[in-house]
Amino acid sequence: MSAADTGFEGTGFENTGFTDRDQLWQQLRGDAASAENPGASNGDWDMIIVGGGITGAGILREAVRRRLKVLLVEQRDFAWGTSSRSSKMVHGGLRYIAQGDIKLTRHALRERERLLREAPGLVERMGYHFALRKGQFPGRLAMTAVLALYDALAGIRDHRYIRRDQLQSQFQGIRSDTLKGACYYTDSTTDDARLVLRVLQEAVQAGGQVLNYTRAAQLLKHGPQVCGLQLENAETGERVEVKARVVVNATGAWADRLRSEVKPEQRVRPLRGSHLILEQQRLPVDQCLTLMHPADQRPVFIFPWEGRTVVGTTDLDHRDCLDTEASISAEEVDYLLRAVASEFPEHGIGRDDIISTFAGVRPVIASDNAKDPSKERRDHAVWQDHGLVTVSGGKLTTFRLIALDVLKAAAPYLKLPATQGGDERVFAPVSQPLEGVAPERAERLQGRYGALAKPLLASTPAAEQQPLGDTQFCLAECRWAARHEAVQHLDDLLLRRTRLGSLLKNGAEELFADIERICAEELGWDEQCWQAELDRYREIWRRHYYLPETAAEAEAQTANGEALPA
């Protein structure tokens, strides 16, 4: 990609950011006013995408490369839902082979390999060890056969057997009784929120438009045909009607809600997966260990991520309101701690070792609500209803393939060939080196920011480019996000643009003074605004990214005169 292509030739770094919200709202208001005047041309869109997670981002990326005029809206922040709270794995899914879904596994593995090639530093290969114990199913022979097929579908050969002594050397303190060894293979991990933001960045640079904190209030119809949306600015309450040839509903677990305006049926089964983030010093791992939980023989992963150790995941029906952020339950905390205690009894890991938690809601296409959630299929589905194309289900890894299926369904409304394109790169290659930056750090920055890594470093103070604590994030990334990445609230910055709120104790409290200064300079937040944002952020972090309050703790708070949140 040339400097002219990116738009930051010279020192101005023009066109490096996401859509300017205020400017686009002015445009949408003007378009709506023009539409009311006979004979006036309005700014009709080819496509409006509802949903700013990885699925919506992928659809936007594929749509703009076909020269469509496309707007993406997200009711909260980009990647706010499932796409910032996944298990961080770009993988094929071994269990899908066991379920007989070879096609899904093959597609996911081929996409995994594509992302590894296109986005090094953002998607990274990691070793996985499936611990083998006496009397456990599956055993060595069965796992070896599955892994041979797994590698063959990916076009690689990474699997092998690991002896017991090798495994004990790799994972210090692993329980030795009944341990036989492990089956080794590779998959990949990512920062899922940054993956979404990188895909959006590529799409915006290619001509797409994006708006966060913008709710799809109501479908617009001409008779039975969907012809646009009434949008609501979540920050101001202002509403505007926007016309489009086709509306794409890519809202994941929320998909049934918008679709019900044209076809009232329940197809999505929301399932919650929760995770613990621990200090790596307390449970040091540099590769992934897969174990079978002693309570129900479900697989649980213990793996390194961003300098910490993650334990997950659970898999159960999510019955809470979808408009409230998902949170880990006390029962899930105990379940995951029990898995750690079973496998690493000498470490004595407890609640005090937990830095933070996160829980995401997976949108699974329901086959039978009585079925064990872990046995539900993970493939996606696309429905076309009178100009509304709805997609839900699927995997983080296969977002590009999901986008192609959506465009195929939308093609009749857009006069596009149903088979146009489909094998182009998701991410533009980055050719300009980062001079004076260590190779590993340069790869990380270019993986997350693509061609914008260079202007990020060039436009931020050198003092802010040093890693924060034992994380790999820096204040320069916070400044860049505040300036260019549509940050509206403090949680956008600390929980999604960076992951500092999940990696540092007390939600990164130690950085608040520096973050306040950056937000004042880049976002114009005065002291009153900062305090309001800080109060909001602390409440979100305590309720949804830390440990759940027990009944005893809540009672103690009340007794001490502390007001509990509504």
Side-chain angles (χ1 to χ4, degrees):
M1 179 181 289
S2 68
D5 290 332
T6 61
F8 53 78
E9 63 273 18
T11 58
F13 307 133
E14 296 88 353
N15 301 324
T16 58
F18 284 7
T19 304
D20 183 290
R21 293 184 83 256
D22 292 339
Q23 183 176 330
L24 183 53
W25 267 101
Q26 292 271 20
Q27 177 188 327
L28 295 178
R29 274 200 297 263
D31 291 344
S34 296
E36 294 174 359
N37 298 324
S41 62
N42 62 54
D44 286 0
W45 300 80
D46 293 316
M47 176 186 291
I48 302 175
I49 301 166
V50 184
I54 190 60
T55 300
I59 297 166
L60 180 67
R61 179 72 181 106
E62 294 299 325
V64 296
R65 72 161 81 248
R66 288 158 178 76
R67 302 186 182 280
L68 297 175
K69 183 181 178 183
V70 191
L71 170 66
L72 178 147
V73 297
E74 161 58 45
Q75 67 174 341
R76 300 290 185 94
D77 186 31
F78 305 122
W80 175 86
T82 312
S83 293
S84 62
R85 309 184 223 190
S86 74
S87 292
K88 319 304 179 194
M89 295 181 183
V90 176
H91 66 144
L94 276 175
R95 67 176 173 180
Y96 310 137
I97 292 181
Q99 294 171 356
D101 202 335
I102 304 299
K103 181 180 178 182
L104 175 61
T105 308
R106 181 176 66 250
H107 286 166
L109 286 169
R110 297 296 169 88
E111 291 302 297
R112 181 194 74 184
E113 294 300 306
R114 169 193 285 269
L115 291 170
L116 282 165
R117 291 191 302 271
E118 292 188 13
L122 177 59
V123 180
E124 299 180 293
R125 199 181 299 276
M126 185 170 66
Y128 283 62
H129 298 74
F130 182 87
L132 300 171
R133 294 189 176 276
K134 293 177 183 177
Q136 173 185 293
F137 180 83
R140 178 179 176 180
L141 289 178
M143 277 299 298
T144 299
V146 169
L147 291 175
L149 176 57
Y150 199 64
D151 277 1
L153 293 172
I156 63 172
R157 181 177 172 81
D158 276 349
H159 72 283
R160 63 180 184 269
Y161 178 70
I162 301 294
R163 299 193 315 269
R164 169 178 164 162
D165 61 326
Q166 294 174 308
L167 189 65
Q168 289 175 306
S169 176
Q170 179 72 46
F171 297 97
Q172 297 290 326
I174 189 171
R175 179 166 57 91
S176 59
D177 67 299
T178 74
L179 186 65
K180 298 170 66 177
C183 286
Y184 172 90
Y185 62 103
T186 64
D187 258 319
S188 303
T189 58
T190 191
D191 179 337
D192 47 0
R194 283 304 328 175
L195 178 64
V196 173
L197 292 165
R198 175 81 192 276
V199 176
L200 288 174
Q201 171 188 308
E202 299 275 345
V204 169
Q205 287 183 322
Q209 298 275 28
V210 296
L211 282 176
N212 55 352
Y213 294 98
T214 301
R215 189 172 71 89
Q218 185 178 346
L219 291 172
L220 302 180
K221 299 177 189 175
H222 183 72
Q225 192 71 17
V226 172
C227 59
L229 279 169
Q230 184 185 76
L231 300 178
E232 179 181 319
N233 187 331
E235 301 295 283
T236 65
E238 179 184 8
R239 292 194 176 194
V240 65
E241 292 189 350
V242 182
K243 299 293 185 64
R245 297 176 185 275
V246 64
V247 174
V248 174
N249 174 14
T251 55
W254 293 260
D256 286 336
R257 182 178 297 176
L258 188 61
R259 188 174 181 239
S260 68
E261 294 187 36
V262 292
K263 187 157 188 177
E265 65 176 1
Q266 296 295 116
R267 296 300 305 273
V268 179
R269 181 180 182 180
L271 302 179
R272 186 170 72 247
S274 298
H275 308 74
L276 311 176
I277 298 181
L278 310 173
E279 288 279 8
Q280 195 169 49
Q281 295 91 329
R282 291 287 289 122
L283 188 57
V285 297
D286 58 12
Q287 296 188 52
C288 179
L289 179 70
T290 306
L291 59 105
M292 306 306 285
H293 197 285
D296 55 11
Q297 295 303 299
R298 280 191 63 259
V300 174
F301 299 97
I302 301 175
F303 61 97
W305 182 72
E306 295 293 340
R308 302 293 181 265
T309 297
V310 177
V311 182
T313 177
T314 58
D315 200 5
L316 68 162
D317 285 298
H318 182 71
R319 305 188 189 283
D320 298 337
C321 175
L322 288 173
D323 290 333
T324 301
E325 292 200 48
S327 308
I328 195 170
S329 68
E331 292 76 16
E332 288 173 292
V333 172
D334 293 340
Y335 175 89
L336 294 174
L337 286 177
R338 182 179 173 188
V340 176
S342 172
E343 207 69 8
F344 295 96
E346 297 177 3
H347 286 281
I349 302 296
R351 289 169 64 96
D352 291 344
D353 298 301
I354 298 171
I355 301 173
S356 64
T357 66
F358 64 93
V361 181
R362 308 180 187 97
V364 174
I365 309 304
S367 59
D368 179 0
N369 284 334
K371 192 175 185 178
D372 182 340
S374 296
K375 292 184 171 60
E376 287 279 21
R377 294 170 62 91
R378 265 31 178 196
D379 41 4
H380 65 278
V382 179
W383 302 280
Q384 191 279 107
D385 303 292
H386 306 292
L388 176 70
V389 176
T390 299
V391 58
S392 193
K395 291 165 53 60
L396 175 76
T397 313
T398 57
F399 70 87
R400 187 186 70 91
L401 300 181
I402 295 171
L404 295 177
D405 281 350
V406 169
L407 287 177
K408 187 182 298 184
Y413 303 100
L414 301 168
K415 298 181 181 179
L416 287 175
T419 58
Q420 178 180 352
D423 200 36
E424 299 91 342
R425 292 178 61 102
V426 174
F427 301 113
V430 181
S431 57
Q432 294 181 319
L434 297 181
E435 298 174 1
V437 181
E440 184 176 341
R441 179 165 175 75
E443 184 176 77
R444 173 186 171 84
L445 287 171
Q446 289 178 325
R448 281 161 169 71
Y449 299 95
L452 299 185
K454 191 165 187 175
L456 185 156
L457 294 178
S459 63
T460 53
E464 293 183 355
Q465 295 173 18
Q466 300 304 309
L468 292 166
D470 58 353
T471 78
Q472 296 185 64
F473 289 98
C474 61
L475 288 174
E477 292 177 84
C478 296
R479 183 177 294 280
W480 179 268
R483 186 183 297 170
H484 293 295
E485 294 187 338
V487 168
Q488 298 297 308
H489 295 288
L490 186 57
D491 50 295
D492 302 341
L493 183 60
L494 292 179
L495 296 175
R496 287 173 290 278
R497 304 300 183 278
T498 71
R499 314 314 285 265
L500 291 164
S502 293
L503 300 177
L504 298 175
K505 289 184 177 180
N506 299 317
E509 185 175 23
E510 64 195 77
L511 300 178
F512 286 169
D514 289 323
I515 299 297
E516 180 181 8
R517 172 176 51 82
I518 287 173
C519 290
E521 294 169 357
E522 302 296 341
L523 299 172
W525 290 358
D526 60 19
E527 185 176 349
Q528 182 179 2
C529 181
W530 166 259
Q531 191 57 53
E533 285 293 332
L534 188 59
D535 291 344
R536 167 196 160 100
Y537 169 72
R538 281 174 164 156
E539 180 69 4
I540 289 171
W541 185 85
R542 185 178 69 83
R543 274 179 168 264
H544 307 295
Y545 291 87
Y546 193 49
L547 294 168
E549 291 179 346
T550 64
E553 289 169 339
E555 187 176 333
Q557 276 192 318
T558 304
N560 291 333
E562 299 179 31
L564 292 177

